[in-house]
Amino acid sequence: MAIERTFQPLPPWQRTDYCGALRASDAGRQVALWGWVSGRRDHGGLVFLDLRDREGIVQVVFNPERSAAAHEHARTVRAEYFVAVKGEVVRRAPNTVNAALPSGGIEVMADALEVLNASAPPPFPIADEEIAGSQSGAMSLSGSQSGAMVSEELRLRYRYLDLRRPRMQRNLRLRHAIVRATRAHFDEHGFVEVETPILWRPTPEGARDYLVPSRVNPGRFYALPQSPQLLKQVLMVGGLDRYYQIAKCFRDEDLRANRQPEFSQIDVEMTCPRPEDIMTIVEGMFARIYRDALGVTLSVPFTRLTYEEAMERFGSDKPDARFGMELKNLTDAFAKTELNVIRRSLAEGGAVYALKLSGEFQPTRRELDELVAQTHSRFGLGLSWAKVAGSEWQGPIAKHIGHTERSGAALALELKAGDTLFLIAGARDKVRPALGDVRLQLGTRFARPARHLLRFLWVVNFPLFEYSEQEKRLTSVNHPFTAPCPEELEALERDPLSAHSLSYDVVLNGEELGGGSIRIHNSEVQLKIFELLGLSREQAVDKFGFLLEALSYGAPPHGGIALGVDRIAMLVCGTDSLRDVMAFPKTQRAVDLMSGAPTEVDSAQLKELSVKVVL
């Protein structure tokens, strides 16, 4: 076939409407549409095309009595052909209205059809109604007799087709609404948007840097920013007063469903704020996002929990508060226990924590055994359980639990017949996270908290430092530029691990959406923190000399926060994976399956960069 007969460089007529935007009020209008053929039904006398664009689907009817040429042409098109249609909008007969479609009350009687581009048979159906998603990203073809599954790898390989799906269209438009609402909110509150460099210098921020070799400076490297942390502090020294940015960030770390090597964050910094000022601004931002994107009104202010309270009640610094099942400290109740494993733990200074699963939920013995095995595998701790059956308790440890322990547990947890008790003994800083993990597994399996429940909260007053057994030194819980609580400055000399920071994380339904802090604005205090982290003054000046110098020139107190755009979009869209809200994500091996990145580089390019590959 000659090229000039198959290539249509431009549509033959201007589009008047989007397919999915047509309604009954448009009846009688002449319209021109563009879109993909989502489905074709040939009933002999009539041909029906479902035409799809970003706004949705409309049914187009081809009647040979109205246009024989268009009718004949419609019989030749296939799924995902991109076509242009002209015709008249008419109301459907009452018995043919499709209530499942916003445009289901009308159809377009076609007068003309032009194929703008044909399509190869797609590797999977595009319409969402033919695809059932799963948490792993696989899609089942419900219309298929074989019940075949479409893997996420196939979706990412053909991402340009996956993006056509109505669900992906909706997700990306919701993401757009999130960013638009964010910009509007900060603009209304006097913030200035400033772009910071992508090519910058390596700085230790907790993850590996992506490095970029410099051709004009052989042997030297830029780093892609893990965050604009230092630069936004410099902007405050520079007098911007209120800054924000939708910033691109890069971290070379192991990936999972809610982590990508490149991501976007809402980066915010203010001069002379208190933590409450930052939290109030951010609450207003979320209220604006949910109002504009979903029409949902949030209740503000959000709940505040100290780090210690969050760990004590939920075993997590990002608690899911949509269900109860809170942890209880039963150390005193088990002080004189005869259960050897608990007695040994208490003798070593350990603690006993427990939670209950309500009697309305009855896990099987297999489920209980799996939970015990998983807890031991993940945390190296023993999970014990017992079922309350009136005055008798059942389970592996039931006969070893005396009256005092039972009474103490029953009082603390308000145990009733049918409830299941779970407990762990050991070092307190290990027991609480382990039992917190058990809580989440039980909540997911039995409580099944609804996605539409929105339990925002703040976790505040984090420890300033933690001790790394692996590195044998203090490390920052947040980052090394986080200010200590002013009343605890003396603790930096005598007991640094007891010091707390002016930091705060915002959490929704067990997902950390962002974190921030008041920063150190005094160079001597900053040097002291570097010293406690194991950096000499010379090393600190070498790595952070420009920041220390900037702080010495009348730097004002300042603080801010960084919030994950992708994670916010994931929760707004109601999905479990960041890959569902990013246009071109990478796999868990940091590979772009569509383009094939990363790729090998030509030896001439490497030579120009003074780089040699050694495997």
Side-chain angles (χ1 to χ4, degrees), residues 393-555:
W393 285 23
Q394 302 169 351
I397 63 169
K399 64 181 180 181
H400 301 289
I401 300 178
H403 176 74
T404 301
E405 297 98 296
R406 293 189 187 192
S407 298
L411 181 63
L413 291 161
E414 299 180 356
L415 293 175
K416 299 180 179 64
D419 292 347
T420 305
L421 171 75
F422 295 90
L423 59 85
I424 301 178
R428 186 165 169 266
D429 61 344
K430 295 181 179 180
V431 166
R432 295 190 301 185
L435 198 58
D437 183 74
V438 172
R439 174 184 179 269
L440 286 178
Q441 291 190 64
L442 292 172
T444 301
R445 188 174 303 178
F446 296 106
R448 296 193 180 101
R451 284 187 184 276
H452 71 271
L453 293 177
L454 301 176
R455 296 293 182 264
F456 281 93
L457 56 87
W458 288 98
V459 179
V460 301
N461 259 31
F462 283 79
L464 187 62
F465 299 111
E466 58 189 356
Y467 185 76
S468 170
E469 291 288 350
Q470 183 178 359
E471 300 180 43
K472 304 300 181 186
R473 67 177 182 88
L474 295 179
T475 60
S476 296
V477 170
N478 192 314
H479 55 60
F481 317 107
T482 301
C485 290
E487 63 272 19
E488 296 180 357
L489 280 174
E490 64 175 25
L492 300 181
E493 298 291 346
R494 56 176 177 78
D495 185 13
L497 283 172
S498 69
H500 293 82
S501 64
L502 294 174
S503 56
Y504 32 82
D505 284 358
V506 61
V507 176
L508 172 60
N509 297 351
E511 288 280 355
E512 179 193 331
L513 299 183
S517 66
I518 305 302
R519 322 302 186 189
I520 299 169
H521 68 284
N522 177 281
S523 57
E524 288 305 315
V525 175
Q526 186 64 77
L527 281 167
K528 179 61 179 179
I529 296 297
F530 286 148
E531 176 190 330
L532 291 169
L533 293 171
L535 287 177
S536 67
R537 180 177 286 261
E538 292 73 22
Q539 289 172 318
V541 170
D542 179 59
K543 292 179 182 293
F544 305 105
F546 71 95
L547 175 66
L548 293 167
E549 185 178 52
L551 296 180
S552 71
Y553 285 95

Side-chain angles (χ1 to χ4, degrees), residues 318-336:
K318 49 182 180 183
D320 188 340
R322 288 175 295 174
F323 60 96
M325 243 182 284
E326 294 187 14
L327 280 57
K328 297 293 182 181
N329 188 336
L330 298 186
T331 304
D332 290 343
F334 280 78
K336 297 181 180 180

Side-chain angles (χ1 to χ4, degrees), residues 339-356:
L339 196 57
N340 287 333
V341 63
I342 295 179
R343 189 166 57 193
R344 285 196 301 271
S345 292
L346 295 180
E348 295 169 358
V352 182
Y353 279 79
L355 61 80
K356 77 168 180 182

Side-chain angles (χ1 to χ4, degrees), residues 192-375:
V192 178
E193 184 171 10
V194 182
E195 293 184 355
T196 52
I198 293 297
L199 295 177
W200 209 47
R201 62 169 292 146
T203 55
E205 292 192 43
R208 298 184 190 90
D209 288 318
Y210 279 102
L211 300 177
V212 180
S214 171
R215 180 184 60 81
V216 296
N217 297 283
R220 292 177 176 266
F221 293 82
Y222 300 103
L224 303 183
Q226 295 186 34
S227 79
Q229 176 60 50
L230 302 186
L231 288 170
K232 66 183 179 181
Q233 291 189 244
V234 171
L235 287 173
M236 294 303 100
V237 179
L240 263 291
D241 191 73
R242 289 190 167 199
Y243 141 94
Y244 86 99
Q245 177 187 188
I246 310 297
K248 268 291 185 184
C249 304
F250 307 84
R251 294 180 185 176
D252 185 6
E253 55 189 352
D254 295 334
L255 307 182
R256 54 178 184 253
N258 61 353
R259 181 182 287 172
Q260 283 279 302
E262 55 181 310
F263 57 95
S264 299
Q265 70 181 33
I266 301 166
D267 205 47
V268 181
E269 199 78 5
M270 299 170 63
T271 293
C272 294
R274 290 169 173 77
E276 194 66 30
D277 299 326
I278 302 285
M279 290 187 275
T280 299
I281 282 286
V282 170
E283 288 170 353
M285 182 202 76
F286 278 114
R288 179 70 176 262
I289 285 172
Y290 272 83
R291 185 194 73 194
D292 289 5
L294 296 178
V296 171
T297 301
L298 296 185
S299 176
V300 294
F302 301 159
T303 300
R304 271 73 161 153
L305 295 177
T306 66
Y307 170 84
E308 177 59 27
E309 185 181 2
M311 295 302 298
E312 188 72 5
R313 292 173 55 188
F314 301 101
S316 171
D317 60 3
K318 49 182 180 183
D320 188 340
R322 288 175 295 174
F323 60 96
M325 243 182 284
E326 294 187 14
L327 280 57
K328 297 293 182 181
N329 188 336
L330 298 186
T331 304
D332 290 343
F334 280 78
K336 297 181 180 180
T337 185
E338 296 182 2
L339 196 57
N340 287 333
V341 63
I342 295 179
R343 189 166 57 193
R344 285 196 301 271
S345 292
L346 295 180
E348 295 169 358
V352 182
Y353 279 79
L355 61 80
K356 77 168 180 182
L357 179 65
S358 172
E360 64 182 301
F361 308 117
Q362 291 297 318
T364 65
R365 181 58 187 260
R366 179 178 178 179
E367 289 174 325
L368 292 167
D369 289 344
E370 286 176 351
L371 202 55
V372 169
Q374 289 171 4
T375 303

